Structures are given as C-alpha cells and as structure tokens.
mmCIF file of all heavy atoms in Angstrom:
data_model
loop_
_atom_site.group_PDB
_atom_site.id
_atom_site.type_symbol
_atom_site.label_atom_id
_atom_site.label_comp_id
_atom_site.label_asym_id
_atom_site.label_seq_id
_atom_site.Cartn_x
_atom_site.Cartn_y
_atom_site.Cartn_z
ATOM 1 N N LYS O 1 -14.232 7.966 -3.446
ATOM 2 C CA LYS O 1 -14.459 9.390 -3.275
ATOM 3 C C LYS O 1 -15.932 9.643 -3.532
ATOM 4 O O LYS O 1 -16.424 9.502 -4.634
ATOM 5 C CB LYS O 1 -13.584 10.159 -4.292
ATOM 6 C CG LYS O 1 -13.590 11.634 -4.074
ATOM 7 C CD LYS O 1 -12.638 12.025 -2.977
ATOM 8 C CE LYS O 1 -12.610 13.540 -2.997
ATOM 9 N NZ LYS O 1 -11.644 14.137 -2.235
ATOM 10 N N LEU O 2 -16.678 9.963 -2.494
ATOM 11 C CA LEU O 2 -18.099 10.231 -2.577
ATOM 12 C C LEU O 2 -18.301 11.722 -2.351
ATOM 13 O O LEU O 2 -18.292 12.178 -1.215
ATOM 14 C CB LEU O 2 -18.876 9.413 -1.527
ATOM 15 C CG LEU O 2 -18.556 7.922 -1.526
ATOM 16 C CD1 LEU O 2 -19.154 7.250 -0.312
ATOM 17 C CD2 LEU O 2 -19.052 7.288 -2.795
ATOM 18 N N SER O 3 -18.417 12.444 -3.436
ATOM 19 C CA SER O 3 -18.443 13.902 -3.398
ATOM 20 C C SER O 3 -17.114 14.341 -2.789
ATOM 21 O O SER O 3 -16.075 14.089 -3.379
ATOM 22 C CB SER O 3 -19.659 14.392 -2.626
ATOM 23 O OG SER O 3 -19.715 15.795 -2.662
ATOM 24 N N ARG O 4 -17.138 14.937 -1.599
ATOM 25 C CA ARG O 4 -15.884 15.369 -0.974
ATOM 26 C C ARG O 4 -15.403 14.396 0.094
ATOM 27 O O ARG O 4 -14.351 14.584 0.692
ATOM 28 C CB ARG O 4 -16.068 16.751 -0.370
ATOM 29 C CG ARG O 4 -16.266 17.810 -1.429
ATOM 30 C CD ARG O 4 -16.769 19.097 -0.886
ATOM 31 N NE ARG O 4 -15.835 19.699 0.031
ATOM 32 C CZ ARG O 4 -16.082 20.818 0.695
ATOM 33 N NH1 ARG O 4 -17.208 21.474 0.512
ATOM 34 N NH2 ARG O 4 -15.194 21.339 1.526
ATOM 35 N N ALA O 5 -16.177 13.358 0.340
ATOM 36 C CA ALA O 5 -15.865 12.391 1.400
ATOM 37 C C ALA O 5 -15.047 11.232 0.866
ATOM 38 O O ALA O 5 -15.318 10.714 -0.206
ATOM 39 C CB ALA O 5 -17.163 11.880 2.025
ATOM 40 N N VAL O 6 -14.035 10.843 1.620
ATOM 41 C CA VAL O 6 -13.208 9.694 1.292
ATOM 42 C C VAL O 6 -13.648 8.542 2.180
ATOM 43 O O VAL O 6 -13.815 8.695 3.407
ATOM 44 C CB VAL O 6 -11.728 10.001 1.554
ATOM 45 C CG1 VAL O 6 -10.866 8.766 1.384
ATOM 46 C CG2 VAL O 6 -11.241 11.114 0.617
ATOM 47 N N ARG O 7 -13.818 7.365 1.572
ATOM 48 C CA ARG O 7 -14.244 6.189 2.312
ATOM 49 C C ARG O 7 -13.428 4.982 1.867
ATOM 50 O O ARG O 7 -13.064 4.869 0.700
ATOM 51 C CB ARG O 7 -15.741 5.879 2.127
ATOM 52 C CG ARG O 7 -16.656 6.976 2.621
ATOM 53 C CD ARG O 7 -16.620 7.058 4.143
ATOM 54 N NE ARG O 7 -17.560 8.040 4.639
ATOM 55 C CZ ARG O 7 -17.217 9.277 5.031
ATOM 56 N NH1 ARG O 7 -15.970 9.666 4.943
ATOM 57 N NH2 ARG O 7 -18.125 10.097 5.492
ATOM 58 N N TYR O 8 -13.177 4.076 2.817
ATOM 59 C CA TYR O 8 -12.443 2.835 2.551
ATOM 60 C C TYR O 8 -13.359 1.650 2.879
ATOM 61 O O TYR O 8 -14.056 1.671 3.881
ATOM 62 C CB TYR O 8 -11.214 2.736 3.438
ATOM 63 C CG TYR O 8 -10.159 3.767 3.184
ATOM 64 C CD1 TYR O 8 -10.168 4.991 3.846
ATOM 65 C CD2 TYR O 8 -9.133 3.531 2.285
ATOM 66 C CE1 TYR O 8 -9.194 5.942 3.617
ATOM 67 C CE2 TYR O 8 -8.153 4.460 2.058
ATOM 68 C CZ TYR O 8 -8.181 5.668 2.722
ATOM 69 O OH TYR O 8 -7.220 6.594 2.484
ATOM 70 N N SER O 9 -13.306 0.622 2.065
ATOM 71 C CA SER O 9 -14.019 -0.612 2.413
ATOM 72 C C SER O 9 -13.051 -1.517 3.165
ATOM 73 O O SER O 9 -11.844 -1.529 2.896
ATOM 74 C CB SER O 9 -14.572 -1.306 1.177
ATOM 75 O OG SER O 9 -13.535 -1.923 0.446
ATOM 76 N N LYS O 10 -13.576 -2.266 4.113
ATOM 77 C CA LYS O 10 -12.739 -3.154 4.891
ATOM 78 C C LYS O 10 -12.050 -4.205 4.015
ATOM 79 O O LYS O 10 -10.895 -4.544 4.226
ATOM 80 C CB LYS O 10 -13.558 -3.863 5.995
ATOM 81 C CG LYS O 10 -13.710 -3.059 7.220
ATOM 82 C CD LYS O 10 -14.279 -3.901 8.333
ATOM 83 C CE LYS O 10 -14.303 -3.107 9.626
ATOM 84 N NZ LYS O 10 -14.824 -3.909 10.745
ATOM 85 N N SER O 11 -12.773 -4.687 2.994
ATOM 86 C CA SER O 11 -12.172 -5.713 2.131
ATOM 87 C C SER O 11 -10.985 -5.139 1.352
ATOM 88 O O SER O 11 -9.983 -5.818 1.193
ATOM 89 C CB SER O 11 -13.203 -6.311 1.193
ATOM 90 O OG SER O 11 -13.738 -5.307 0.346
ATOM 91 N N ASP O 12 -11.070 -3.887 0.922
ATOM 92 C CA ASP O 12 -9.941 -3.256 0.223
ATOM 93 C C ASP O 12 -8.755 -3.066 1.169
ATOM 94 O O ASP O 12 -7.587 -3.210 0.759
ATOM 95 C CB ASP O 12 -10.331 -1.906 -0.379
ATOM 96 C CG ASP O 12 -11.175 -2.068 -1.627
ATOM 97 O OD1 ASP O 12 -11.149 -3.149 -2.244
ATOM 98 O OD2 ASP O 12 -11.868 -1.095 -2.001
ATOM 99 N N LEU O 13 -9.032 -2.738 2.411
ATOM 100 C CA LEU O 13 -7.949 -2.584 3.392
ATOM 101 C C LEU O 13 -7.229 -3.925 3.631
ATOM 102 O O LEU O 13 -6.007 -3.976 3.701
ATOM 103 C CB LEU O 13 -8.507 -2.043 4.720
ATOM 104 C CG LEU O 13 -9.093 -0.623 4.671
ATOM 105 C CD1 LEU O 13 -9.711 -0.279 6.022
ATOM 106 C CD2 LEU O 13 -8.060 0.398 4.256
ATOM 107 N N LEU O 14 -8.011 -5.003 3.719
ATOM 108 C CA LEU O 14 -7.413 -6.315 3.929
ATOM 109 C C LEU O 14 -6.605 -6.774 2.705
ATOM 110 O O LEU O 14 -5.515 -7.335 2.858
ATOM 111 C CB LEU O 14 -8.513 -7.331 4.253
ATOM 112 C CG LEU O 14 -9.198 -7.120 5.604
ATOM 113 C CD1 LEU O 14 -10.404 -8.045 5.736
ATOM 114 C CD2 LEU O 14 -8.230 -7.327 6.740
ATOM 115 N N VAL O 15 -7.098 -6.476 1.514
ATOM 116 C CA VAL O 15 -6.353 -6.824 0.299
ATOM 117 C C VAL O 15 -5.039 -6.045 0.270
ATOM 118 O O VAL O 15 -3.969 -6.604 -0.039
ATOM 119 C CB VAL O 15 -7.187 -6.505 -0.973
ATOM 120 C CG1 VAL O 15 -6.340 -6.544 -2.228
ATOM 121 C CG2 VAL O 15 -8.342 -7.501 -1.090
ATOM 122 N N TRP O 16 -5.073 -4.783 0.617
ATOM 123 C CA TRP O 16 -3.863 -3.949 0.613
ATOM 124 C C TRP O 16 -2.869 -4.476 1.642
ATOM 125 O O TRP O 16 -1.661 -4.559 1.365
ATOM 126 C CB TRP O 16 -4.221 -2.488 0.920
ATOM 127 C CG TRP O 16 -3.031 -1.594 0.923
ATOM 128 C CD1 TRP O 16 -2.319 -1.158 -0.142
ATOM 129 C CD2 TRP O 16 -2.421 -1.014 2.076
ATOM 130 N NE1 TRP O 16 -1.296 -0.361 0.277
ATOM 131 C CE2 TRP O 16 -1.335 -0.226 1.636
ATOM 132 C CE3 TRP O 16 -2.688 -1.077 3.429
ATOM 133 C CZ2 TRP O 16 -0.522 0.474 2.494
ATOM 134 C CZ3 TRP O 16 -1.880 -0.375 4.304
ATOM 135 C CH2 TRP O 16 -0.810 0.377 3.827
ATOM 136 N N LEU O 17 -3.359 -4.893 2.821
ATOM 137 C CA LEU O 17 -2.462 -5.467 3.816
ATOM 138 C C LEU O 17 -1.771 -6.712 3.304
ATOM 139 O O LEU O 17 -0.585 -6.920 3.543
ATOM 140 C CB LEU O 17 -3.251 -5.812 5.090
ATOM 141 C CG LEU O 17 -3.565 -4.654 6.043
ATOM 142 C CD1 LEU O 17 -4.455 -5.137 7.166
ATOM 143 C CD2 LEU O 17 -2.283 -4.060 6.583
ATOM 144 N N LYS O 18 -2.502 -7.546 2.599
ATOM 145 C CA LYS O 18 -1.918 -8.769 2.041
ATOM 146 C C LYS O 18 -0.821 -8.467 1.020
ATOM 147 O O LYS O 18 0.181 -9.141 0.952
ATOM 148 C CB LYS O 18 -2.988 -9.648 1.410
ATOM 149 C CG LYS O 18 -3.873 -10.327 2.437
ATOM 150 C CD LYS O 18 -4.935 -11.177 1.791
ATOM 151 C CE LYS O 18 -5.866 -11.761 2.821
ATOM 152 N NZ LYS O 18 -6.912 -12.582 2.203
ATOM 153 N N THR O 19 -1.023 -7.420 0.218
ATOM 154 C CA THR O 19 -0.023 -7.063 -0.797
ATOM 155 C C THR O 19 1.230 -6.452 -0.167
ATOM 156 O O THR O 19 2.282 -6.444 -0.796
ATOM 157 C CB THR O 19 -0.573 -6.078 -1.843
ATOM 158 O OG1 THR O 19 -0.919 -4.855 -1.223
ATOM 159 C CG2 THR O 19 -1.761 -6.660 -2.570
ATOM 160 N N CYS O 20 1.119 -5.984 1.069
ATOM 161 C CA CYS O 20 2.279 -5.387 1.753
ATOM 162 C C CYS O 20 3.128 -6.429 2.493
ATOM 163 O O CYS O 20 4.153 -6.089 3.064
ATOM 164 C CB CYS O 20 1.792 -4.346 2.754
ATOM 165 S SG CYS O 20 1.069 -2.886 1.982
ATOM 166 N N ALA O 21 2.701 -7.660 2.493
ATOM 167 C CA ALA O 21 3.393 -8.699 3.243
ATOM 168 C C ALA O 21 4.780 -8.969 2.656
ATOM 169 O O ALA O 21 4.964 -9.003 1.433
ATOM 170 C CB ALA O 21 2.581 -9.982 3.231
ATOM 171 N N LYS O 22 5.759 -9.107 3.519
ATOM 172 C CA LYS O 22 7.141 -9.405 3.117
ATOM 173 C C LYS O 22 7.626 -10.600 3.878
ATOM 174 O O LYS O 22 7.167 -10.899 4.982
ATOM 175 C CB LYS O 22 8.051 -8.203 3.454
ATOM 176 C CG LYS O 22 7.597 -6.868 2.903
ATOM 177 C CD LYS O 22 7.924 -6.771 1.466
ATOM 178 C CE LYS O 22 7.592 -5.372 0.986
ATOM 179 N NZ LYS O 22 6.973 -5.317 -0.260
ATOM 180 N N THR O 23 8.558 -11.317 3.304
ATOM 181 C CA THR O 23 9.159 -12.456 3.991
ATOM 182 C C THR O 23 10.614 -12.228 4.343
ATOM 183 O O THR O 23 11.230 -13.030 5.036
ATOM 184 C CB THR O 23 9.052 -13.741 3.122
ATOM 185 O OG1 THR O 23 9.671 -13.475 1.886
ATOM 186 C CG2 THR O 23 7.604 -14.134 2.932
ATOM 187 N N SER O 24 11.194 -11.138 3.847
ATOM 188 C CA SER O 24 12.606 -10.882 4.088
ATOM 189 C C SER O 24 12.844 -9.364 4.051
ATOM 190 O O SER O 24 12.175 -8.624 3.341
ATOM 191 C CB SER O 24 13.445 -11.538 2.980
ATOM 192 O OG SER O 24 14.759 -11.070 2.982
ATOM 193 N N THR O 25 13.867 -8.934 4.784
ATOM 194 C CA THR O 25 14.238 -7.513 4.743
ATOM 195 C C THR O 25 14.831 -7.142 3.386
ATOM 196 O O THR O 25 14.900 -5.968 3.047
ATOM 197 C CB THR O 25 15.215 -7.149 5.858
ATOM 198 O OG1 THR O 25 16.352 -7.985 5.751
ATOM 199 C CG2 THR O 25 14.577 -7.311 7.228
ATOM 200 N N ALA O 26 15.263 -8.129 2.630
ATOM 201 C CA ALA O 26 15.791 -7.853 1.289
ATOM 202 C C ALA O 26 14.702 -7.357 0.348
ATOM 203 O O ALA O 26 14.991 -6.749 -0.677
ATOM 204 C CB ALA O 26 16.436 -9.120 0.702
ATOM 205 N N GLU O 27 13.445 -7.593 0.702
ATOM 206 C CA GLU O 27 12.321 -7.120 -0.115
ATOM 207 C C GLU O 27 11.932 -5.693 0.218
ATOM 208 O O GLU O 27 10.971 -5.172 -0.296
ATOM 209 C CB GLU O 27 11.100 -8.034 0.118
ATOM 210 C CG GLU O 27 11.299 -9.452 -0.311
ATOM 211 C CD GLU O 27 10.071 -10.270 0.045
ATOM 212 O OE1 GLU O 27 9.012 -9.994 -0.543
ATOM 213 O OE2 GLU O 27 10.174 -11.178 0.866
ATOM 214 N N GLN O 28 12.681 -5.030 1.059
ATOM 215 C CA GLN O 28 12.352 -3.708 1.565
ATOM 216 C C GLN O 28 12.045 -2.716 0.445
ATOM 217 O O GLN O 28 11.069 -1.973 0.528
ATOM 218 C CB GLN O 28 13.487 -3.175 2.416
ATOM 219 C CG GLN O 28 13.258 -1.781 2.945
ATOM 220 C CD GLN O 28 14.427 -1.300 3.775
ATOM 221 O OE1 GLN O 28 15.386 -2.049 3.987
ATOM 222 N NE2 GLN O 28 14.370 -0.087 4.230
ATOM 223 N N TYR O 29 12.852 -2.658 -0.579
ATOM 224 C CA TYR O 29 12.673 -1.652 -1.621
ATOM 225 C C TYR O 29 11.964 -2.168 -2.848
ATOM 226 O O TYR O 29 11.866 -1.449 -3.837
ATOM 227 C CB TYR O 29 14.043 -1.083 -2.011
ATOM 228 C CG TYR O 29 14.703 -0.369 -0.879
ATOM 229 C CD1 TYR O 29 15.813 -0.912 -0.236
ATOM 230 C CD2 TYR O 29 14.222 0.860 -0.452
ATOM 231 C CE1 TYR O 29 16.415 -0.269 0.813
ATOM 232 C CE2 TYR O 29 14.822 1.512 0.604
ATOM 233 C CZ TYR O 29 15.917 0.960 1.222
ATOM 234 O OH TYR O 29 16.503 1.605 2.259
ATOM 235 N N GLN O 30 11.452 -3.357 -2.815
ATOM 236 C CA GLN O 30 10.802 -3.959 -3.965
ATOM 237 C C GLN O 30 9.622 -3.119 -4.447
ATOM 238 O O GLN O 30 9.464 -2.900 -5.633
ATOM 239 C CB GLN O 30 10.341 -5.374 -3.633
ATOM 240 C CG GLN O 30 9.671 -6.066 -4.796
ATOM 241 C CD GLN O 30 9.281 -7.470 -4.441
ATOM 242 O OE1 GLN O 30 9.690 -7.999 -3.409
ATOM 243 N NE2 GLN O 30 8.483 -8.092 -5.259
ATOM 244 N N ASP O 31 8.808 -2.629 -3.532
ATOM 245 C CA ASP O 31 7.623 -1.858 -3.910
ATOM 246 C C ASP O 31 7.811 -0.368 -3.739
ATOM 247 O O ASP O 31 6.895 0.396 -3.975
ATOM 248 C CB ASP O 31 6.424 -2.299 -3.049
ATOM 249 C CG ASP O 31 6.058 -3.739 -3.312
ATOM 250 O OD1 ASP O 31 6.265 -4.193 -4.458
ATOM 251 O OD2 ASP O 31 5.562 -4.395 -2.408
ATOM 252 N N ASP O 32 8.983 0.089 -3.336
ATOM 253 C CA ASP O 32 9.213 1.518 -3.098
ATOM 254 C C ASP O 32 9.322 2.248 -4.438
ATOM 255 O O ASP O 32 10.216 2.012 -5.219
ATOM 256 C CB ASP O 32 10.476 1.703 -2.282
ATOM 257 C CG ASP O 32 10.625 3.098 -1.735
ATOM 258 O OD1 ASP O 32 9.847 3.979 -2.146
ATOM 259 O OD2 ASP O 32 11.502 3.320 -0.884
ATOM 260 N N ARG O 33 8.414 3.157 -4.679
ATOM 261 C CA ARG O 33 8.372 3.865 -5.974
ATOM 262 C C ARG O 33 9.442 4.936 -6.064
ATOM 263 O O ARG O 33 9.770 5.415 -7.137
ATOM 264 C CB ARG O 33 6.988 4.512 -6.163
ATOM 265 C CG ARG O 33 5.912 3.483 -6.280
ATOM 266 C CD ARG O 33 4.584 4.155 -6.237
ATOM 267 N NE ARG O 33 3.539 3.138 -6.146
ATOM 268 C CZ ARG O 33 2.492 3.098 -6.899
ATOM 269 N NH1 ARG O 33 2.285 4.033 -7.756
ATOM 270 N NH2 ARG O 33 1.617 2.138 -6.775
ATOM 271 N N ARG O 34 9.966 5.376 -4.919
ATOM 272 C CA ARG O 34 10.951 6.457 -4.943
ATOM 273 C C ARG O 34 12.337 5.945 -5.305
ATOM 274 O O ARG O 34 13.138 6.675 -5.850
ATOM 275 C CB ARG O 34 10.998 7.140 -3.581
ATOM 276 C CG ARG O 34 9.720 7.912 -3.318
ATOM 277 C CD ARG O 34 9.673 8.348 -1.903
ATOM 278 N NE ARG O 34 9.449 7.152 -1.098
ATOM 279 C CZ ARG O 34 9.044 7.149 0.134
ATOM 280 N NH1 ARG O 34 8.817 8.258 0.737
ATOM 281 N NH2 ARG O 34 8.836 6.040 0.800
ATOM 282 N N ARG O 35 12.639 4.714 -5.000
ATOM 283 C CA ARG O 35 13.998 4.215 -5.223
ATOM 284 C C ARG O 35 14.417 4.190 -6.709
ATOM 285 O O ARG O 35 15.499 4.653 -7.026
ATOM 286 C CB ARG O 35 14.155 2.828 -4.604
ATOM 287 C CG ARG O 35 15.575 2.340 -4.697
ATOM 288 C CD ARG O 35 15.758 1.007 -3.997
ATOM 289 N NE ARG O 35 17.069 0.489 -4.269
ATOM 290 C CZ ARG O 35 18.026 0.377 -3.398
ATOM 291 N NH1 ARG O 35 17.837 0.766 -2.159
ATOM 292 N NH2 ARG O 35 19.205 -0.114 -3.717
ATOM 293 N N PRO O 36 13.588 3.692 -7.627
ATOM 294 C CA PRO O 36 14.030 3.684 -9.029
ATOM 295 C C PRO O 36 14.308 5.091 -9.563
ATOM 296 O O PRO O 36 15.230 5.295 -10.337
ATOM 297 C CB PRO O 36 12.852 3.059 -9.774
ATOM 298 C CG PRO O 36 12.170 2.238 -8.757
ATOM 299 C CD PRO O 36 12.344 2.990 -7.474
ATOM 300 N N ALA O 37 13.544 6.069 -9.110
ATOM 301 C CA ALA O 37 13.784 7.430 -9.552
ATOM 302 C C ALA O 37 15.145 7.921 -9.054
ATOM 303 O O ALA O 37 15.883 8.570 -9.794
ATOM 304 C CB ALA O 37 12.674 8.353 -9.043
ATOM 305 N N ALA O 38 15.497 7.591 -7.821
ATOM 306 C CA ALA O 38 16.816 7.973 -7.305
ATOM 307 C C ALA O 38 17.909 7.295 -8.074
ATOM 308 O O ALA O 38 18.937 7.892 -8.396
ATOM 309 C CB ALA O 38 16.889 7.653 -5.817
#
C-alpha cells in the first residue's frame, strides 16, 4: 500500500500461486477460512 495505491510484486504473485497448488479435490477446503466457522 503506497499512500492510496495498491501494488503487487510479481514474485509475491508467484509465491501465492505456489501456495494455492492442490493435488487432490479432497484438499478443496483445507485453506478455506469460512468452513471452520460454519
């Protein structure tokens, strides 16, 4: 956050993509923050 401007670095986008990787549909809710609350 640079004053009112939002900026993303390419390296952060790539890291985030890697953390979203799944190998099975059973992992669907593993990272979902809404499910434990429900």
Side-chain angles (χ1 to χ4, degrees):
K1 188 82 173 190
L2 308 170
S3 184
R4 292 167 62 182
V6 173
R7 298 291 183 260
Y8 295 90
S9 73
K10 275 191 175 181
S11 62
D12 285 340
L13 295 175
L14 293 171
V15 167
W16 181 73
L17 280 174
K18 288 179 184 180
T19 63
C20 292
K22 306 283 186 222
T23 56
S24 167
T25 57
E27 297 176 65
Q28 177 181 357
Y29 296 108
Q30 181 177 349
D31 296 329
D32 193 349
R33 295 171 189 228
R34 291 169 289 197
R35 186 176 171 111

